[in-house]
C-alpha cells in the first residue's frame, strides 16, 4: 500500500511556533512542525500519512496508516500500515503497527504490539497411527 513513490500528498501543515488544542482530524497527509495537545486522527476514507517532525510535539493519541516520527509523542500511536521512527523520535506511550522501521537513536517508553495478522485457517493435522 505504501511504496516510496505513492504516498498520500502532504496537504496540511502545522507550522513551527503554532499550537493546536483539541482533537485534530485530517485526510491524506499532515505534517506537524509545531505542537498539538489532543488526539490526531486520520479519516478512514483514504490512505493517510502523518509526519511528526524533529521540532514537533504531540500530546495525545495518534492514528494514521503511515506514521513517521522524528519528534516527541506523549500518547499511544496506531499505525495501520507502517510506523517509521527516525533517530530523534521520542515516544511515551504504547505503539501498534503493521510494519515497523526504527532507526538507531529512537526511543519508545511503552509497549510495542504488531497488529494481529489474520492467519489463513489450515485443515487440522492428522497423524498416522502405528496400528497394523
Amino acid at each position: 500500500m505504501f511504496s516510496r513513490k505513492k504516498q498520500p500528498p502532504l496537504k496540511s501543515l502545522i507550522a513551527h511556533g503554532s499550537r493546536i488544542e483539541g482533537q485534530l482530524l485530517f485526510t491524506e497527509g499532515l505534517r506537524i512542525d509545531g505542537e498539538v495537545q489532543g488526539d490526531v486522527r486520520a479519516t478512514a476514507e483514504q490512505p493517510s500519512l502523518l509526519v511528526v517532525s524533529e521540532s514537533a510535539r504531540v500530546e495525545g493519541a495518534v492514528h494514521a496508516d503511515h506514521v513517521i516520527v522524528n519528534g516527541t509523542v506523549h500518547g499511544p500511536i496506531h499505525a495501520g500500515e507502517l510506523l517509521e521512527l527516525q533517530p530523534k523520535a521520542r515516544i511515551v506511550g504504547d505503539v501498534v503497527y503493521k510494519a515497523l522501521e526504527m532507526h538507531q537513536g529512537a526511543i519508545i517508553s511503552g509497549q510495542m504490539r504488531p497488529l494481529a495478522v489474520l492467519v489463513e485457517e489450515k485443515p487440522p493435522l492428522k497423524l498416522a497411527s502405528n496400528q497394523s
Side-chain angles (χ1 to χ4, degrees):
M1 180 175 174
F2 284 102
S3 68
R4 294 278 181 199
K5 296 177 185 172
K6 296 205 174 196
Q7 291 182 343
L10 291 172
K11 291 190 170 183
S12 301
L13 168 69
I14 298 172
H16 183 73
S18 298
R19 181 176 174 174
I20 304 287
E21 294 183 11
Q23 185 175 5
L24 178 60
L25 298 174
F26 71 96
T27 58
E28 294 188 272
L30 169 66
R31 178 182 173 103
I32 301 173
D33 290 341
E35 293 182 35
V36 176
Q37 287 199 341
D39 296 347
V40 179
R41 185 178 299 268
T43 59
E45 290 121 24
Q46 49 195 307
S48 58
L49 170 64
L50 173 65
V51 177
V52 179
S53 75
E54 183 178 341
S55 63
R57 180 178 182 85
V58 176
E59 293 190 23
V62 170
H63 292 265
D65 291 326
H66 185 177
V67 180
I68 301 171
V69 179
N70 200 28
T72 303
V73 176
H74 282 259
I77 296 178
H78 186 280
E81 290 294 326
L82 175 62
L83 174 60
E84 285 184 55
L85 301 177
Q86 295 181 344
K88 297 193 179 198
R90 302 292 180 262
I91 298 170
V92 178
D94 297 343
V95 296
V96 178
Y97 54 88
K98 187 173 183 181
L100 174 67
E101 181 179 321
M102 187 171 180
H103 293 252
Q104 184 175 350
I107 297 173
I108 298 174
S109 297
Q111 293 185 352
M112 299 171 57
R113 289 179 297 214
L115 282 171
V117 178
L118 296 176
V119 179
E120 188 177 304
E121 285 194 36
K122 297 180 181 179
L125 180 64
K126 294 182 181 179
L127 300 175
S129 66
N130 290 334
Q131 295 177 353
S132 306

